[in-house]
Amino acid sequence: KVGKTGEVIACDISEEMICSAKKQRAYDNVTYLHSPVTTIPVNDNYFDTVMCFQVFPHFSERSKALKEIYRVLKQDGVLWIVHLASKETIHKRHREAGDVVISHNIPEEAEIREVLSQQKFSVEEILDTSDYYSLKAIKNSM
């Protein structure tokens, strides 16, 4: 999707996940960063798109994470929150797993819209199907 001149930066708080990703495929234009989402080591206004792939419920400091994502996105940049399961399925899996993840859920639509709005994002669409959940939000000017 990014072509030969584009760049992908994969970022995860888990060093194990970064190592696993590196083993999957090696591309010249992919950089892997072991870093929390609350302190992404790139310049302001760096990315056209940020994708939170199957991780958003696990952000313990959502406001701080979204503030950091806002910082690294270019004006009118896109934030995607994507899961390969419905919101209901994710919540069920986390309840069944118990322990730490039992409360790691995707907020209800009104709440997630409010949280994103507080960080100056406008939600363009939310899709919650039996196969996936996706949310698209745009960075607005402050």
Side-chain angles (χ1 to χ4, degrees), residues 7-13 18 31-53 55 59 61-74 78-80 121:
E7 177 184 25
V8 173
I9 297 180
C11 180
D12 201 293
I13 195 168
I18 292 295
T31 302
Y32 299 91
L33 298 177
H34 174 226
S35 172
V37 70
T38 54
T39 55
I40 303 167
V42 299
N43 294 330
D44 295 357
N45 307 304
Y46 190 84
F47 295 112
D48 296 309
T49 303
V50 169
M51 180 181 289
C52 298
F53 184 67
V55 296
F59 292 166
E61 299 178 274
R62 281 191 185 144
S63 293
K64 190 174 179 182
L66 290 169
K67 185 175 183 178
E68 181 68 352
I69 291 168
Y70 185 93
R71 180 189 72 78
V72 300
L73 269 174
K74 293 176 182 176
V78 179
L79 165 62
W80 283 99
F121 285 97

Side-chain angles (χ1 to χ4, degrees), residues 6-133:
E7 177 184 25
V8 173
I9 297 180
C11 180
D12 201 293
I13 195 168
S14 167
E15 193 167 5
E16 184 178 326
M17 291 301 286
I18 292 295
C19 289
S20 176
K22 285 180 180 178
K23 290 176 187 174
Q24 297 290 321
R25 284 203 169 109
Y27 293 102
D28 293 337
N29 59 345
V30 177
T31 302
Y32 299 91
L33 298 177
H34 174 226
S35 172
V37 70
T38 54
T39 55
I40 303 167
V42 299
N43 294 330
D44 295 357
N45 307 304
Y46 190 84
F47 295 112
D48 296 309
T49 303
V50 169
M51 180 181 289
C52 298
F53 184 67
Q54 305 209 144
V55 296
F56 189 77
H58 307 294
F59 292 166
S60 59
E61 299 178 274
R62 281 191 185 144
S63 293
K64 190 174 179 182
L66 290 169
K67 185 175 183 178
E68 181 68 352
I69 291 168
Y70 185 93
R71 180 189 72 78
V72 300
L73 269 174
K74 293 176 182 176
Q75 181 60 39
D76 299 320
V78 179
L79 165 62
W80 283 99
I81 297 172
V82 178
H83 291 270
L84 298 179
S86 69
K87 183 169 69 170
E88 180 181 321
T89 300
I90 293 162
H91 293 185
K92 182 178 183 241
R93 286 179 187 162
H94 290 173
R95 279 192 310 273
E96 290 171 353
D99 247 3
V100 176
V101 299
I102 197 166
S103 64
H104 292 194
N105 294 312
I106 297 171
E108 293 301 321
E109 184 172 338
E111 181 183 349
I112 200 163
R113 284 181 181 277
E114 177 63 24
V115 168
L116 287 163
S117 174
Q118 288 172 359
Q119 298 303 323
K120 307 294 187 232
F121 285 97
S122 61
V123 176
E124 292 227 327
E125 70 178 29
I126 298 175
L127 298 173
D128 188 12
T129 73
S130 59
D131 296 327
Y132 66 91
Y133 174 92

